[in-house]
Amino acid sequence: MLFLKSTATTRAPGIYEVDIAAKPPGKTYGVFLATDPDNPPHSVLAALTELGFKGTYQKRYTHRDSGHVLDLHFEKDGTDIFKGWKAEECSANLAAIDVLFGNVGIAVTPRVMTMAEAYS
């Protein structure tokens, strides 16, 4: 689940927060979204599917500020060992993610999770 400060504003229609993160050592990234379940970002979700990302987790909850949130996680298999991304896949996938979210006005910064965060 993303750390979401507030549901008072969105970063784009239907999107509260976006995180592009990888477990260490940081070659295969996931897309983590906190969305408005009453106004979902259909075009972004469809575009993620077209890019080959599959939903792996979803959970609805009520934020402490009483807003409703749908937490979504997406992953894409690669061709490296354990379905990881090879270097060229990583570059291509991150570029596609950047374009996708850039088209809705969200700048993303991929990051590598801490060990505690990744395996909690």
Side-chain angles (χ1 to χ4, degrees):
M1 178 175 3
L2 291 171
F3 177 71
L4 182 59
K5 293 180 182 180
S6 171
T7 60
T9 60
T10 59
R11 295 196 56 204
I15 301 174
Y16 295 122
E17 191 59 70
V18 176
D19 189 21
I20 309 302
K23 292 180 179 178
K27 290 184 359 178
T28 306
Y29 289 79
V31 177
F32 304 89
L33 296 168
T35 65
D36 179 352
D38 300 323
N39 181 26
H42 294 293
S43 63
V44 170
L45 300 176
L48 276 171
T49 300
E50 288 174 18
L51 291 174
F53 284 85
K54 296 179 183 168
T56 59
Y57 174 86
Q58 70 176 27
K59 181 178 180 182
R60 268 184 92 118
Y61 66 94
T62 301
H63 192 267
R64 67 178 177 266
D65 66 10
S66 300
H68 296 280
V69 178
L70 178 60
D71 192 26
L72 301 168
H73 300 185
F74 295 86
E75 294 178 358
K76 180 178 179 178
D77 290 344
T79 59
D80 205 359
I81 189 167
F82 305 116
K83 299 182 182 180
W85 295 353
K86 292 183 178 177
E88 60 276 3
E89 290 171 311
C90 184
S91 295
N93 288 331
L94 289 177
I97 289 169
D98 191 46
V99 168
L100 169 64
F101 287 103
N103 286 341
V104 294
I106 298 175
V108 294
T109 304
R111 67 184 186 87
V112 178
M113 297 177 194
T114 65
M115 291 295 279
E117 186 180 25
Y119 299 104
S120 62

